[in-house]
Amino acid sequence: MRKNIIASLAFLLAGSTAALADASDGKIKIGILNDQSGVYADFGGKSSYEAAKMAVEDFGGKVLDVPVEVVTADHQNKPDIASNIARQWYDTEQVDAIMELTTSSVALAVQAISKEKKKIDIVTGAATTELTGKQCSPYGFHWAYDTHSLAVGTGGALVKQGGDSWFFLTADYAFGYSLEENTANFVKENGGTVVGSVRHPLASTDFSSFLLQAQSSGAKVIGLANAGLDTSNAIKQASEFGIVQGGQRLAALLFTLAEVHGLGLEAAQGLTLTEGFYWNRDDESRAFAKRFFERTGKMPNMIHTGTYSAVLQYLKAVQKAGTDETEAVSKALHEMPVDDVFGRGGTVAANGRMIHDMYLLQVKKPADSKEPWDYFDVLDTIPGKDAYLDPAKSGCDLVK
């Protein structure tokens, strides 16, 4: 009997040790790092944190028999602040993966740190294709959208509709440059021309001089290569200058449900935009959106739902790998299909790009909106293979 008891205790201790080895620190910890007080606060912000917690709860709150914890912080759109938070999270707070990462300059900085520390990062809030291009990482993933998919969607639609001359009003940092470049290339490839561009600081409040240059260019389309409050403010001030009334069109190259809600249908009606998710698409998306609304008081956009998907897929990958060890989880993330309310039929390419369908949307007239947050008509579904850059052409050295 004594031998049996000793053997049983040894077995239990061995099992306990194995569990600790499978999930380091006895828990899984995910960090949501984004802008929670600035120009992109509605774009992702604290609502992305809620989406991440929803994913953990829907998964059951545990993986590998250990609890899952979600922490969050505001990087204030500053790469140095984001880098300090990321290092602290990795070095002293046992964070296993960082996600969301609104603002491309921030996302690039944190992805570089994650690569150095051999940690997983999944970007849902930033747009630059450099994340899966020359600055790709074996542990870095880009989930919700990117500048190439936005250019194919909104840029492609307007060129087809006769908008073949463009002037760009561009946010003066990595995201803006990437969005302008991708859209300009697409316009030119389809027979259009770019007559000029001007750059503005992030979080501008006065767009008058930039809009006057765009207006005087005579371009048929003014491409707003910015996001969040910058885009909303530019659209409001363009109305004051009578730009649309004068025959020019505004292309909101990164504009989501959150910004349309803030701007209002009266001002936003007729805008064409591209998102990776629309809450009123079908029964599944409506059911998810209702739960999200109960927690946040708003309907989700592609960043919120993309964050939910990224957290859920990460936990599935940890479960599949049987460990939270980075190499094994990264391998699982690359191998597993994505099938949830956001990424239906999604796949992850060798460069970390999650390839999924995008949606070309047009903002409804106020009279056509049937209920609160019913803002879009779905004009077209853009297959993932068309929306995203061929990984072999991305410049990522991980692609064979």
Coordinates of all heavy atoms in Angstrom, one line a residue, residues 243-294:
I243 N -16.3 71.1 -51.5 CA -15.5 70.3 -52.4 C -16.3 69.3 -53.2 O -16.3 69.1 -54.4 CB -14.3 69.6 -51.7 CG1 -13.3 70.7 -51.3 CG2 -13.7 68.5 -52.5 CD1 -12.1 70.1 -50.5
V244 N -17.2 68.6 -52.5 CA -18.0 67.6 -53.1 C -19.1 68.2 -54.0 O -19.4 67.8 -55.1 CB -18.7 66.6 -52.1 CG1 -19.7 65.7 -52.7 CG2 -17.7 65.9 -51.3
Q245 N -19.6 69.3 -53.5 CA -20.6 70.1 -54.3 C -20.0 70.6 -55.6 O -20.7 70.8 -56.6 CB -21.2 71.3 -53.5 CG -22.0 70.9 -52.2 CD -21.1 70.7 -51.0 OE1 -19.9 70.3 -51.1 NE2 -21.6 71.0 -49.8
G246 N -18.7 70.8 -55.6 CA -18.0 71.3 -56.8 C -17.6 70.2 -57.7 O -17.1 70.5 -58.8
G247 N -18.0 69.0 -57.4 CA -17.8 67.9 -58.4 C -16.7 66.9 -58.1 O -16.6 65.9 -58.8
Q248 N -15.9 67.2 -57.1 CA -14.8 66.2 -56.7 C -15.4 65.2 -55.7 O -16.3 65.5 -55.0 CB -13.6 67.0 -56.1 CG -12.8 67.8 -57.0 CD -11.8 68.7 -56.4 OE1 -12.1 69.5 -55.6 NE2 -10.5 68.4 -56.7
R249 N -14.8 64.0 -55.7 CA -15.2 63.0 -54.8 C -14.2 62.8 -53.7 O -13.0 62.9 -53.9 CB -15.4 61.6 -55.5 CG -16.5 61.7 -56.6 CD -16.8 60.4 -57.2 NE -17.4 59.5 -56.3 CZ -17.9 58.3 -56.6 NH1 -17.9 57.9 -57.8 NH2 -18.5 57.6 -55.7
L250 N -14.7 62.4 -52.5 CA -13.8 62.1 -51.4 C -13.7 60.6 -51.3 O -14.7 59.9 -51.3 CB -14.3 62.7 -50.1 CG -14.3 64.2 -50.0 CD1 -14.9 64.6 -48.6 CD2 -13.0 64.8 -50.1
A251 N -12.5 60.0 -51.2 CA -12.3 58.6 -50.9 C -11.7 58.4 -49.5 O -10.6 58.8 -49.3 CB -11.3 58.0 -52.0
A252 N -12.5 57.9 -48.6 CA -12.1 57.6 -47.3 C -11.4 56.3 -47.3 O -12.1 55.2 -47.2 CB -13.3 57.7 -46.3
L253 N -10.1 56.2 -47.4 CA -9.4 55.0 -47.6 C -9.3 54.1 -46.4 O -9.1 52.9 -46.6 CB -8.0 55.3 -48.2 CG -8.0 56.0 -49.5 CD1 -6.6 56.5 -49.9 CD2 -8.6 55.1 -50.6
L254 N -9.4 54.6 -45.2 CA -9.6 53.8 -44.0 C -10.6 54.5 -43.1 O -10.3 55.4 -42.4 CB -8.2 53.7 -43.3 CG -8.3 52.9 -41.9 CD1 -9.1 51.6 -42.1 CD2 -7.0 52.6 -41.4
F255 N -11.8 54.0 -43.2 CA -12.9 54.6 -42.5 C -13.8 53.4 -42.1 O -14.1 52.6 -42.9 CB -13.7 55.5 -43.5 CG -14.4 56.6 -42.8 CD1 -13.8 57.5 -41.9 CD2 -15.8 56.9 -43.0 CE1 -14.4 58.6 -41.3 CE2 -16.5 57.9 -42.4 CZ -15.8 58.8 -41.6
T256 N -14.2 53.4 -40.8 CA -14.9 52.2 -40.3 C -16.2 52.7 -39.7 O -16.6 53.9 -39.7 CB -14.1 51.5 -39.2 OG1 -14.2 52.3 -38.0 CG2 -12.7 51.3 -39.6
L257 N -17.0 51.7 -39.3 CA -18.3 52.0 -38.7 C -18.3 53.0 -37.6 O -19.1 53.8 -37.4 CB -18.9 50.6 -38.2 CG -20.3 50.7 -37.7 CD1 -21.3 50.7 -38.8 CD2 -20.6 49.5 -36.8
A258 N -17.2 52.9 -36.8 CA -17.1 53.8 -35.6 C -17.0 55.2 -36.0 O -17.6 56.1 -35.4 CB -15.8 53.4 -34.8
E259 N -16.2 55.5 -37.1 CA -16.1 56.9 -37.6 C -17.3 57.4 -38.3 O -17.7 58.6 -38.2 CB -14.9 57.0 -38.5 CG -13.5 56.9 -37.8 CD -13.2 55.4 -37.5 OE1 -13.3 54.5 -38.3 OE2 -12.9 55.2 -36.3
V260 N -18.0 56.5 -39.0 CA -19.3 56.9 -39.6 C -20.3 57.3 -38.5 O -21.0 58.3 -38.7 CB -19.9 55.7 -40.5 CG1 -21.3 56.1 -41.0 CG2 -19.0 55.5 -41.7
H261 N -20.3 56.5 -37.4 CA -21.2 56.8 -36.3 C -20.9 58.2 -35.7 O -21.8 59.0 -35.5 CB -21.1 55.7 -35.3 CG -22.1 56.0 -34.1 ND1 -23.4 55.8 -34.2 CD2 -21.8 56.4 -32.8 CE1 -24.0 56.0 -33.1 NE2 -23.1 56.4 -32.2
G262 N -19.6 58.5 -35.6 CA -19.2 59.8 -35.0 C -19.5 60.9 -35.9 O -19.9 62.0 -35.5
L263 N -19.4 60.7 -37.2 CA -19.6 61.8 -38.2 C -21.1 62.0 -38.5 O -21.6 63.1 -38.7 CB -18.9 61.4 -39.5 CG -18.8 62.5 -40.6 CD1 -18.1 63.7 -40.1 CD2 -18.1 61.9 -41.8
G264 N -21.9 60.9 -38.5 CA -23.3 61.0 -38.7 C -23.6 60.7 -40.2 O -22.8 61.0 -41.1
L265 N -24.8 60.1 -40.5 CA -25.1 59.8 -41.9 C -25.3 61.0 -42.8 O -25.0 60.9 -44.0 CB -26.4 58.9 -41.9 CG -26.4 57.5 -41.4 CD1 -27.7 56.8 -41.5 CD2 -25.3 56.7 -42.2
E266 N -25.7 62.1 -42.2 CA -26.0 63.3 -43.0 C -24.7 63.7 -43.7 O -24.6 64.1 -44.9 CB -26.5 64.4 -42.1 CG -27.0 65.6 -42.9 CD -28.2 65.3 -43.8 OE1 -29.1 64.6 -43.3 OE2 -28.2 65.8 -45.0
A267 N -23.6 63.7 -42.9 CA -22.3 64.1 -43.5 C -21.6 63.0 -44.2 O -20.8 63.3 -45.2 CB -21.4 64.6 -42.3
A268 N -21.8 61.7 -43.8 CA -21.0 60.6 -44.4 C -21.7 60.0 -45.6 O -21.1 59.2 -46.3 CB -20.8 59.6 -43.3
Q269 N -23.0 60.2 -45.8 CA -23.8 59.5 -46.8 C -23.1 59.6 -48.2 O -22.5 60.5 -48.6 CB -25.2 60.1 -47.0 CG -25.2 61.6 -47.4 CD -26.6 62.1 -47.5 OE1 -27.4 61.6 -48.1 NE2 -26.9 63.3 -46.8
G270 N -23.1 58.4 -48.9 CA -22.5 58.3 -50.2 C -21.0 57.9 -50.2 O -20.5 57.5 -51.2
L271 N -20.3 58.0 -49.0 CA -18.9 57.6 -49.0 C -18.8 56.1 -49.3 O -19.5 55.3 -48.8 CB -18.3 57.9 -47.6 CG -17.9 59.3 -47.3 CD1 -17.5 59.4 -45.9 CD2 -16.8 59.8 -48.2
T272 N -17.7 55.8 -50.1 CA -17.4 54.4 -50.3 C -16.2 54.0 -49.5 O -15.2 54.8 -49.3 CB -17.0 54.2 -51.8 OG1 -18.1 54.6 -52.6 CG2 -16.7 52.7 -52.1
L273 N -16.3 52.8 -48.8 CA -15.2 52.4 -48.0 C -15.0 50.9 -48.0 O -15.9 50.2 -48.5 CB -15.4 53.0 -46.5 CG -16.7 52.6 -45.9 CD1 -16.5 51.4 -44.9 CD2 -17.3 53.8 -45.1
T274 N -14.0 50.4 -47.3 CA -13.7 49.0 -47.3 C -13.5 48.5 -45.9 O -12.7 49.2 -45.1 CB -12.5 48.6 -48.2 OG1 -12.7 49.1 -49.5 CG2 -12.3 47.1 -48.2
E275 N -14.2 47.5 -45.4 CA -14.0 46.9 -44.1 C -13.9 45.4 -44.2 O -14.4 44.8 -45.2 CB -15.1 47.3 -43.1 CG -15.0 48.6 -42.5 CD -15.5 48.6 -41.1 OE1 -14.9 47.9 -40.2 OE2 -16.4 49.4 -40.8
G276 N -13.3 44.8 -43.2 CA -13.3 43.3 -43.2 C -14.4 42.7 -42.4 O -14.5 41.4 -42.3
F277 N -15.4 43.5 -42.0 CA -16.5 43.0 -41.2 C -17.6 44.0 -41.2 O -17.4 45.2 -41.2 CB -16.1 42.7 -39.7 CG -17.2 42.3 -38.8 CD1 -17.6 40.9 -38.8 CD2 -17.9 43.2 -38.0 CE1 -18.6 40.5 -38.0 CE2 -18.9 42.8 -37.2 CZ -19.3 41.4 -37.2
Y278 N -18.9 43.6 -41.3 CA -20.0 44.4 -41.1 C -21.0 43.7 -40.2 O -21.4 42.6 -40.5 CB -20.7 44.8 -42.4 CG -21.9 45.7 -42.3 CD1 -21.8 46.8 -41.3 CD2 -23.0 45.6 -43.0 CE1 -22.9 47.6 -41.1 CE2 -24.1 46.4 -42.8 CZ -24.1 47.4 -41.9 OH -25.2 48.2 -41.7
W279 N -21.4 44.3 -39.1 CA -22.2 43.7 -38.1 C -23.6 43.2 -38.6 O -24.1 42.2 -38.2 CB -22.4 44.6 -36.9 CG -23.4 45.7 -37.2 CD1 -23.1 47.0 -37.6 CD2 -24.8 45.7 -36.9 NE1 -24.3 47.7 -37.7 CE2 -25.3 46.9 -37.3 CE3 -25.7 44.7 -36.5 CZ2 -26.7 47.2 -37.2 CZ3 -27.1 45.0 -36.4 CH2 -27.6 46.3 -36.8
N280 N -24.1 43.9 -39.6 CA -25.5 43.6 -40.1 C -25.5 42.7 -41.4 O -26.4 42.8 -42.2 CB -26.2 44.9 -40.4 CG -27.7 44.8 -40.2 OD1 -28.2 43.8 -39.8 ND2 -28.5 45.8 -40.6
R281 N -24.4 41.9 -41.5 CA -24.2 41.1 -42.7 C -25.1 39.9 -42.7 O -25.7 39.5 -43.7 CB -22.8 40.7 -42.7 CG -22.3 39.9 -43.9 CD -20.9 39.6 -43.8 NE -20.6 38.7 -42.7 CZ -19.3 38.5 -42.2 NH1 -18.3 39.1 -42.8 NH2 -19.2 37.7 -41.2
D282 N -25.3 39.2 -41.5 CA -26.1 38.0 -41.4 C -26.4 37.7 -40.0 O -26.0 38.5 -39.1 CB -25.3 36.8 -42.1 CG -24.0 36.5 -41.5 OD1 -23.8 36.8 -40.3 OD2 -23.1 36.1 -42.2
D283 N -27.1 36.6 -39.7 CA -27.5 36.3 -38.3 C -26.4 36.1 -37.4 O -26.4 36.5 -36.2 CB -28.4 35.0 -38.4 CG -29.7 35.2 -39.0 OD1 -30.1 36.4 -39.1 OD2 -30.4 34.2 -39.4
E284 N -25.3 35.4 -37.8 CA -24.1 35.2 -36.9 C -23.5 36.5 -36.5 O -23.1 36.7 -35.4 CB -23.1 34.3 -37.6 CG -22.0 33.9 -36.7 CD -20.9 33.1 -37.4 OE1 -20.9 33.0 -38.6 OE2 -20.0 32.6 -36.7
S285 N -23.3 37.4 -37.5 CA -22.6 38.7 -37.2 C -23.5 39.6 -36.3 O -23.0 40.3 -35.5 CB -22.2 39.4 -38.5 OG -23.4 39.7 -39.3
R286 N -24.8 39.5 -36.6 CA -25.8 40.3 -35.7 C -25.8 39.8 -34.3 O -25.9 40.6 -33.3 CB -27.2 40.2 -36.3 CG -27.3 41.2 -37.5 CD -28.8 41.2 -38.0 NE -29.2 40.1 -38.7 CZ -29.0 39.9 -40.1 NH1 -28.5 40.9 -40.8 NH2 -29.4 38.8 -40.7
A287 N -25.7 38.4 -34.1 CA -25.7 37.9 -32.8 C -24.4 38.3 -32.0 O -24.5 38.7 -30.8 CB -25.8 36.4 -32.8
F288 N -23.3 38.3 -32.7 CA -22.1 38.7 -32.1 C -22.1 40.2 -31.7 O -21.8 40.6 -30.6 CB -20.9 38.5 -33.0 CG -19.6 39.0 -32.5 CD1 -18.8 38.4 -31.6 CD2 -19.1 40.3 -32.9 CE1 -17.6 38.9 -31.1 CE2 -18.0 40.9 -32.4 CZ -17.2 40.2 -31.5
A289 N -22.6 41.0 -32.7 CA -22.7 42.4 -32.5 C -23.6 42.8 -31.3 O -23.3 43.7 -30.5 CB -23.2 43.1 -33.7
K290 N -24.7 42.1 -31.1 CA -25.6 42.3 -30.0 C -24.9 42.1 -28.7 O -25.0 43.0 -27.8 CB -26.8 41.4 -30.1 CG -27.9 41.6 -29.0 CD -29.0 40.7 -29.1 CE -30.0 40.9 -28.0 NZ -31.2 40.0 -28.1
R291 N -24.1 41.1 -28.5 CA -23.4 40.8 -27.3 C -22.3 41.9 -27.1 O -22.1 42.3 -26.0 CB -22.7 39.4 -27.4 CG -23.7 38.3 -27.3 CD -23.0 37.0 -27.0 NE -22.0 36.6 -28.0 CZ -20.8 36.2 -27.7 NH1 -20.3 36.3 -26.5 NH2 -20.0 35.8 -28.7
F292 N -21.7 42.3 -28.2 CA -20.6 43.3 -28.1 C -21.3 44.6 -27.6 O -20.7 45.4 -26.8 CB -20.0 43.5 -29.4 CG -18.8 44.5 -29.5 CD1 -17.5 44.1 -29.1 CD2 -19.0 45.8 -29.9 CE1 -16.5 45.0 -29.1 CE2 -18.0 46.7 -29.9 CZ -16.7 46.3 -29.5
F293 N -22.4 45.0 -28.2 CA -23.1 46.2 -27.9 C -23.5 46.3 -26.4 O -23.5 47.3 -25.8 CB -24.4 46.4 -28.8 CG -25.1 47.7 -28.6 CD1 -24.7 48.8 -29.4 CD2 -26.1 47.8 -27.7 CE1 -25.4 50.0 -29.2 CE2 -26.8 49.0 -27.6 CZ -26.4 50.1 -28.3
E294 N -23.9 45.1 -25.9 CA -24.4 45.1 -24.5 C -23.2 45.4 -23.5 O -23.4 45.9 -22.4 CB -24.9 43.7 -24.2 CG -26.3 43.4 -24.8 CD -26.7 42.0 -24.7 OE1 -25.9 41.2 -24.2 OE2 -27.9 41.7 -25.1

